[in-house]
Amino acid sequence: MVSQVVKLWAAVLLLASLHKCDDAVVSENPSTAKSSCLSEVGAILDAPPIQCKPLVACNREEVLKSYYQLYENCRINASKRQSEREHFLFRINYWQGDHQFLYGMIEKAHESHRHVLDAEYLSHRVPQMIPELNLKLLVYSIEAGRIEDALLLYLTMKNPWTPQQLVKAIVEHPDSVSEVAVLHLLEFARGLPLKATRADLYKALAPVLGRHNLYTSYVLLLYAGDAAAVFTSPKEKADYITNVVFMLFHNLRKELRNLKFDFNVWLANKYPRYYTLYLDDIYTFPHELWDKIEKRRLFEIPSMFEAKGHRFQVIEKFLKYVSIYDNRDLYKREEILPTLALEVEKLARTVRQTGNNKQELDRIKKIQDGFKIIIHDHKQIYRIYLDDIKVNGKFGKRRMEMEKHG
């Protein structure tokens, strides 16, 4: 049995469906709560409220009129915003120019004040600047070779740099370390009065020489000669001399083996004292190396030296190696010793021309006697070798004319 409430609700629905809304009108001031148009939810801004009753067509003319009005307002607003933006950029550029002009005026107005402030700053800065300038002047003086100025400046400094700092400042550009810079630094080190300071400088310089393609340079010979007076213990000599100059001596021996004498002769004549210190190390030939050298050409080098002491030393070294390595090879001795005998004769002539020093004459006599390698050699074997080369030349009579022309 259907309840009375259900019957009543069905009747209400039937009446609502039969109700006609032909007389629907557009409300001027509709209630917000009863409106169902899109304009009320913000889809169209500033739209006049239009209330449409369900199932009834809205007023088309009113809707289009509202739409066109909104479109026109939007277009006007967009044009106005674009104009304001362009005008703003123009004003920004204009204001920036004003700021630059005004800033320049302010700078000019405060120029005198800046001088006052700078003067106060410099008054506090000068005590710190003087040591810095002195250190720069020290480095520049060493690099320029003004060693006396550099030494005077260094010895009068209140807080001088350590040798490590000084070496680092001079060789701070690894790709530009030159032989001249190292040469001037060595000259500076010689003038330092304290042995400990010189030792520290050499210790700081040793790794630099090995890093900068100077391991075959002449400055290594100078470094080794100077450092030898400072480093006396075997360990120090090995660490700071032998290991540093190893490649230089190897290169000098290699040039002798290849009969290239220019570098050795230049070193001996330019730096005779240093070359003398290490001549024995340079002229060290193991047996296998000695056999490969063309001795008749090698024996020509003594007469190229200016110092008689070098000529004596080298001839004595050559004669020693002949007696050790070629004592059983008569043919080899007869081939190479005439050349050495001629070099001894040239040296004897120089000794006679420079004062006939008794010690040098005795030394010549000892060398001449040394040509008697084995007991069966003739007592005048030196004269025999000398006469042989004068008659037959170094490479035989047929080549004597060529030998005269080099």
Side-chain angles (χ1 to χ4, degrees):
M1 180 179 228
V2 182
S3 65
Q4 293 295 330
V5 177
V6 174
K7 290 181 180 180
L8 181 59
W9 180 249
V12 171
L13 291 178
L14 180 60
L15 290 173
S17 63
L18 295 176
H19 179 70
K20 294 182 179 180
C21 58
D22 293 338
D23 55 345
V25 295
V26 178
S27 174
E28 293 290 338
N29 296 304
S31 173
T32 304
K34 297 179 180 180
S35 175
S36 61
C37 290
L38 292 177
S39 62
E40 294 304 322
V41 296
I44 302 176
L45 300 178
D46 298 332
I50 300 174
Q51 183 177 7
C52 301
K53 294 182 179 180
L55 305 180
V56 179
C58 296
N59 191 328
R60 182 171 180 276
E61 292 181 358
E62 290 294 334
V63 173
L64 287 177
K65 182 179 178 181
S66 176
Y67 169 76
Y68 288 139
Q69 183 63 38
L70 288 174
Y71 175 79
E72 185 65 20
N73 291 341
C74 183
R75 187 183 64 79
I76 293 173
N77 290 339
S79 177
K80 183 178 179 181
R81 287 195 301 272
Q82 182 178 2
S83 176
E84 288 178 352
R85 184 175 67 249
E86 293 175 354
H87 185 60
F88 175 75
L89 293 176
F90 172 77
R91 283 183 295 172
I92 285 293
N93 294 332
Y94 183 78
W95 291 340
Q96 185 178 9
D98 284 350
H99 292 163
Q100 291 176 349
F101 174 77
L102 293 174
Y103 182 75
M105 295 291 291
I106 293 173
E107 278 191 326
K108 290 181 180 179
H110 288 278
E111 188 171 357
S112 57
H113 299 85
R114 188 170 63 251
H115 291 325
V116 173
L117 295 174
D118 290 346
E120 183 179 0
Y121 168 76
L122 291 175
S123 65
H124 296 291
R125 176 67 175 151
V126 165
Q128 300 175 1
M129 289 178 63
I130 291 177
E132 293 178 7
L133 293 175
N134 283 337
L135 291 173
K136 289 183 179 180
L137 181 60
L138 172 63
V139 172
Y140 297 155
S141 298
I142 294 175
E143 290 180 340
R146 300 178 64 89
I147 307 303
E148 293 183 3
D149 296 341
L151 286 170
L152 179 62
L153 188 61
Y154 184 79
L155 296 175
T156 55
M157 282 182 175
K158 183 178 293 186
N159 297 308
W161 271 355
T162 64
Q164 292 81 1
Q165 290 174 317
L166 185 59
V167 171
K168 182 179 179 181
I170 293 178
V171 298
E172 62 182 353
H173 303 295
D175 296 331
S176 63
V177 178
S178 65
E179 294 176 335
V180 176
V182 176
L183 179 63
H184 291 166
L185 192 58
L186 291 174
E187 293 175 357
F188 173 80
R190 291 183 205 123
L192 295 174
L194 296 179
K195 181 178 178 181
T197 307
R198 295 200 305 275
D200 289 340
L201 194 146
Y202 294 141
K203 289 178 181 179
L205 189 59
V208 174
L209 297 175
R211 282 201 311 264
H212 294 91
N213 297 325
L214 297 175
Y215 49 83
T216 58
S217 170
Y218 72 94
V219 294
L220 262 80
L221 185 66
L222 307 184
Y223 162 83
D226 292 343
V230 175
F231 302 119
T232 55
S233 68
K235 185 177 185 308
E236 287 181 330
K237 286 184 177 181
D239 292 341
Y240 300 113
I241 298 178
T242 306
N243 294 339
V244 176
V245 299
F246 170 77
M247 285 302 298
L248 173 64
F249 293 164
H250 174 76
N251 185 59
L252 290 172
R253 283 192 293 267
K254 181 180 177 182
E255 295 207 349
L256 291 175
R257 182 184 64 204
N258 295 330
L259 306 177
K260 298 178 180 179
F261 304 143
D262 291 347
F263 191 24
N264 276 275
V265 172
W266 179 82
L267 275 177
N269 296 336
K270 180 70 174 179
Y271 303 103
R273 183 173 69 87
Y274 293 92
Y275 196 78
T276 302
L277 287 173
Y278 295 100
L279 189 143
D280 288 339
D281 297 295
I282 296 171
Y283 290 82
T284 299
F285 302 102
H287 196 174
E288 60 275 9
L289 179 59
W290 179 258
D291 288 341
K292 296 177 182 179
I293 301 176
E294 172 51 65
K295 265 79 74 178
R296 287 176 295 182
R297 297 300 303 273
L298 179 65
F299 290 168
E300 294 175 357
I301 194 172
S303 58
M304 301 179 186
F305 296 135
E306 296 176 358
K308 289 183 291 183
H310 292 157
R311 298 170 69 177
F312 272 111
Q313 281 185 273
V314 172
I315 289 173
E316 288 168 348
K317 292 283 286 186
F318 288 157
L319 191 59
K320 174 185 175 181
Y321 282 120
V322 172
S323 64
I324 295 174
Y325 297 142
D326 302 317
N327 57 354
R328 296 183 179 181
D329 193 339
L330 176 62
Y331 175 77
K332 176 62 74 175
R333 295 201 306 273
E334 290 179 347
E335 180 185 57
I336 62 177
L337 283 179
T339 301
L340 192 59
L342 183 61
E343 293 299 320
V344 175
E345 185 64 19
K346 292 178 182 178
L347 178 58
R349 190 183 310 124
T350 302
V351 169
R352 290 193 296 268
Q353 292 172 350
T354 55
N356 278 325
N357 182 277
K358 186 178 184 305
Q359 290 182 347
E360 293 177 346
L361 290 174
D362 291 343
R363 198 171 178 182
I364 289 289
K365 182 66 170 61
K366 185 177 180 181
I367 291 174
Q368 292 172 347
D369 294 341
F371 276 76
K372 190 175 185 300
I373 304 296
I374 60 175
I375 193 171
H376 300 295
D377 285 339
H378 194 279
K379 272 199 313 186
Q380 298 296 323
I381 190 67
Y382 165 75
R383 289 295 170 187
I384 295 174
Y385 287 141
L386 186 60
D387 293 339
D388 178 67
I389 195 170
K390 288 180 177 179
V391 174
N392 299 315
K394 188 181 302 185
F395 303 101
K397 286 186 177 181
R398 290 183 301 173
R399 297 185 177 86
M400 285 186 67
E401 192 63 29
M402 295 174 60
E403 187 180 331
K404 291 178 182 178
H405 293 85

